[in-house]
């Protein structure tokens, strides 16, 4: 797993449950806007999310096949945006092999299962799965 994602999980689990939600909201606020090249472009919808979430990835043609992740989620869905922010921050700039090695249950490692609905956790798991699927397709 990329060190950034492991550190994010450690940050979450080292806090009390209420503080974890506050940290998730910070990630929501930090989710970057889509680059201009993706404005108005149809991105892949993550239908498992309760909110309209769309994503795409880029895999560079460098030696490590560096990954960039782009996700959009509505501001009125701060939990979903927070999960998206965690993935963008933790996966962007990582080698493709490290992204592919992220455990599928990573969302559960954040310690939010009692604070966030199972549907929201399922949405983050789906985002991660879609990212890994897109990366694997780019590696072929």
């Amino acid at each position: 797993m990329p060190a950034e994602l492991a550190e994010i999980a450690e940050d979450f689990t080292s806090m009390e449950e209420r503080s974890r939600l506050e940290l998730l909201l910070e990630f929501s606020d930090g989710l970057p806007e889509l680059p201009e090249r993706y404005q108005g472009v149809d991105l892949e919808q993550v239908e498992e999310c309760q909110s309209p979430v769309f994503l795409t990835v880029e895999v560079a043609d460098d030696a490590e096949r560096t990954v960039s992740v782009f996700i959009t989620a509505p501001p009125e869905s701060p939990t979903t945006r927070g999960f998206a922010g965690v993935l963008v921050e933790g996966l962007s700039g990582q080698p493709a092999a490290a992204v592919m090695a992220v455990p599928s249950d990573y969302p559960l490692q954040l310690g939010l299962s009692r604070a966030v609905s199972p549907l929201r956790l399922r949405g983050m798991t789906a985002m991660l799965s879609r990212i890994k699927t897109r990366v694997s397709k780019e590696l072929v």
Side-chain angles (χ1 to χ4, degrees):
M1 174 175 354
E4 287 80 357
L5 270 186
E7 186 176 312
I8 290 169
E10 186 176 311
D11 288 346
F12 272 95
T13 58
S14 69
M15 301 177 162
E16 293 181 17
E17 199 164 10
R18 175 122 178 92
S19 297
R20 292 176 195 166
L21 284 175
E22 292 171 16
L23 181 57
L24 189 62
L25 294 179
E26 288 179 29
F27 277 100
S28 173
D29 293 339
L31 180 67
E33 293 293 319
L34 289 176
E36 190 173 313
R37 66 186 175 276
Y38 288 119
Q39 298 294 328
V41 173
D42 287 336
L43 304 179
E44 180 176 356
Q45 184 171 8
V46 183
E47 295 177 11
E48 294 87 346
C49 290
Q50 292 178 304
S51 307
V53 174
F54 299 88
L55 64 77
T56 193
V57 300
E58 294 174 355
V59 179
D61 205 15
D62 59 8
E64 293 192 322
R65 304 300 309 263
T66 305
V67 173
S68 297
V69 178
F70 305 98
I71 304 176
T72 181
E76 58 274 6
S77 301
T79 303
T80 302
R81 279 183 64 84
F83 284 142
V86 166
L87 293 173
V88 169
E89 185 172 319
L91 297 176
S92 290
Q94 297 299 319
V99 172
M100 297 303 294
V102 174
S104 297
D105 70 345
Y106 177 78
L108 297 175
Q109 295 179 26
L110 300 177
L112 291 165
S113 58
R114 290 186 349 174
V116 177
S117 76
L119 287 175
R120 297 274 186 219
L121 288 169
R122 189 179 106 210
M124 185 183 188
T125 301
M127 283 186 246
L128 176 59
S129 175
R130 295 282 170 76
I131 291 166
K132 291 170 69 172
T133 298
R134 291 188 68 93
V135 168
S136 71
K137 287 180 181 179
E138 292 291 323
L139 296 177
V140 175

